[in-house]
Amino acid sequence: MIDVLTLCALLALADAVLAIVVGVGLHPGPREGVAAWTGALVVRALALVLFASRMDPHAGTQAVAAGLAALSMTLQASALLAFDRRALPAWVHSAAVAAVAVPVALVDSDPAAEILFGGLVYGTLLAALTLIAGQGARARHGFARGVMVGCFAVAAVVCVVRGVAAALAADPLLAFVAPTTGQSAGFVVAATAALASTVAFLLMHKERADAQALRLATLDPLTGAYNRRTFHEIAEREMSRARRAGQPLSVIMLDIDHFRAVNEQHGHRAGDQALQKIGEVLRASLRKEDMLVRFGGEEFLVWLPDVPGPGAVVVAGRMRKSLAAEEIEIGGAKVALTVSAGVAARLDEGPESVDRLVARAEEALTLAKRRGRNRVVALSLGRSIAA
């Protein structure tokens, strides 16, 4: 058997400490939902303190506590939605407080009705939180999101069962004053789920931060294309696989024609915006398994596994035509940009390496520039083929 009042006091203290940890620990940088979750912990701590004063209640104390408990749950819902860049209407908070506090105040003289109402209402709110947590679009496969869903689901079940069981008992308050072993276990499980949900919220932010760090380490932040370091790591594995399986492999080197003039005329900020759009256009012409790499300032590389040289020429031509047909807004004016491309394919004869393959693609790109730009040149076995 446990003392419910002591459990409420300890949980209130834990919520206060966690509010500081969440509010301060996640403060640096933009952290979606942190303010709402911190507020939920503070409000729940206040509600628990008021609930613990049940032995010597003041007028309306339990109604206020019930309303604060509901508010803490809507704030948690707001935090979860904010984490997924959605929003909870502000009126939901006040509506939840009123919908819970007013009925509790009306049935304050009937403990059975009050406990049943509280169990059903809080169970419903927790079920709604379970659905919101489970529908998160940005972390639906994350471990932390699964823990969050589990915490709310368990707490919802405990609230409903506890409310119904206590309301059917001869003395509804006995479950709070002198709980049985099973009732004590229910209280402990609910308290553990409440604390674990905050741990899960912290883990959700850690998972997002880790994903962002990985993205920064592997992708070019401006265009979303792979960076050169990541390209070489992946390309070496792909080259080894292609050699073992005897599969074709091609590379396209792309250079935006006269892009330096764009920067000089419109400024580097406009040039960056243009590069972002160029990256989108180029990526739209590729398959899911192809790799777009930002190789230099205005130079891109395309890695085409399982694509022979002639197929790579077709891809390069499609990319060239797509970019030429796209009017890109630069400095308030729409400008048509063109691209020169060099294509090289893996050779079956002799040892082949990523560096040699890229070097041949760069040589083909140089020929494309010399021949007037806005064209594709493929280099194969020392012979050049214009396209």
Side-chain angles (χ1 to χ4, degrees):
M1 186 184 76
I2 64 168
D3 184 81
V4 177
L5 299 182
T6 301
L7 181 63
C8 286
L10 291 175
L11 186 55
L13 178 62
D15 278 345
V17 173
L18 286 173
I20 296 174
V21 172
V22 173
V24 176
L26 294 181
H27 177 68
R31 302 287 187 174
E32 297 87 352
V34 169
W37 196 275
T38 303
L41 292 173
V42 172
V43 169
R44 189 170 68 191
L46 293 175
L48 289 167
V49 170
L50 292 177
F51 274 131
S53 69
R54 179 71 180 183
M55 300 304 294
D56 184 22
H58 297 83
T61 297
Q62 295 307 302
V64 174
L68 290 176
L71 176 61
S72 71
M73 295 179 191
T74 60
L75 286 171
Q76 286 179 316
S78 179
L80 290 174
L81 290 171
F83 184 84
D84 292 306
R85 294 176 176 85
R86 295 181 289 168
L88 184 72
W91 61 265
V92 172
H93 302 299
S94 56
V97 172
V100 174
V102 172
V104 168
L106 293 176
V107 298
D108 188 58
S109 59
D110 186 352
E114 183 179 351
I115 294 172
L116 176 60
F117 175 78
L120 294 177
V121 168
Y122 294 142
T124 301
L125 289 174
L126 288 166
L129 279 170
T130 303
L131 292 175
I132 292 173
Q135 292 174 352
R138 303 183 183 278
R140 53 179 173 265
H141 300 300
F143 168 76
R145 185 60 66 104
V147 173
M148 180 76 73
V149 170
C151 288
F152 287 139
V154 169
V157 172
V158 170
C159 280
V160 173
V161 172
R162 186 184 62 188
V164 173
L168 295 177
D171 184 359
L173 294 179
L174 190 62
F176 296 90
V177 177
T180 64
T181 301
Q183 292 166 339
S184 297
F187 286 122
V188 172
V189 168
T192 302
L195 296 176
S197 65
T198 296
V199 175
F201 185 72
L202 292 170
L203 288 176
M204 284 165 56
H205 277 279
K206 181 182 182 302
E207 287 179 351
R208 174 169 290 180
D210 290 345
Q212 291 174 342
L214 179 62
R215 177 180 175 83
L216 290 175
T218 59
L219 301 181
D220 171 55
L222 180 62
T223 63
Y226 285 97
N227 57 37
R228 289 184 67 167
R229 182 181 66 83
T230 304
F231 159 69
H232 281 288
E233 292 176 357
I234 298 176
E236 291 294 343
R237 294 196 299 268
E238 287 292 317
M239 178 63 78
S240 298
R241 182 192 63 81
R243 280 198 296 261
R244 290 194 305 270
Q247 296 295 321
L249 182 65
S250 298
V251 168
I252 303 173
M253 290 296 300
L254 301 155
D255 188 80
I256 312 303
D257 296 329
H258 308 297
F259 195 77
R260 181 176 298 178
V262 173
N263 282 327
E264 292 175 352
Q265 183 177 352
H266 300 283
H268 287 280
R269 184 173 181 179
D272 288 346
Q273 293 174 348
L275 283 173
Q276 288 179 323
K277 183 62 178 178
I278 290 169
E280 294 175 5
V281 174
L282 297 179
R283 194 178 292 108
S285 299
L286 300 176
R287 304 170 301 170
K288 188 176 182 180
E289 59 267 33
D290 298 334
M291 181 165 51
L292 178 66
V293 183
R294 189 178 180 194
F295 211 68
E298 63 271 12
E299 198 170 61
F300 291 86
L301 178 148
V302 178
W303 183 263
L304 300 172
D306 301 320
V307 176
V313 172
V314 173
V315 174
R318 183 168 64 239
M319 298 173 79
R320 182 189 68 80
K321 293 175 183 177
S322 296
L323 184 59
E326 184 78 25
E327 289 189 337
I328 298 176
E329 186 171 340
I330 301 178
K334 291 189 178 293
V335 178
L337 295 175
T338 60
V339 64
S340 299
V343 178
R346 187 182 75 85
L347 301 177
D348 293 329
E349 299 85 357
E352 182 70 291
S353 67
V354 173
D355 289 339
R356 290 180 61 180
L357 182 59
V358 171
R360 289 206 309 277
E362 288 179 324
E363 185 179 349
L365 174 61
T366 300
L367 289 174
K369 292 179 180 179
R370 289 176 181 172
R371 294 177 180 179
R373 301 178 184 269
N374 189 24
R375 66 190 64 234
V376 176
V377 170
L379 196 64
S380 175
L381 300 178
R383 294 175 298 163
S384 63
I385 305 172

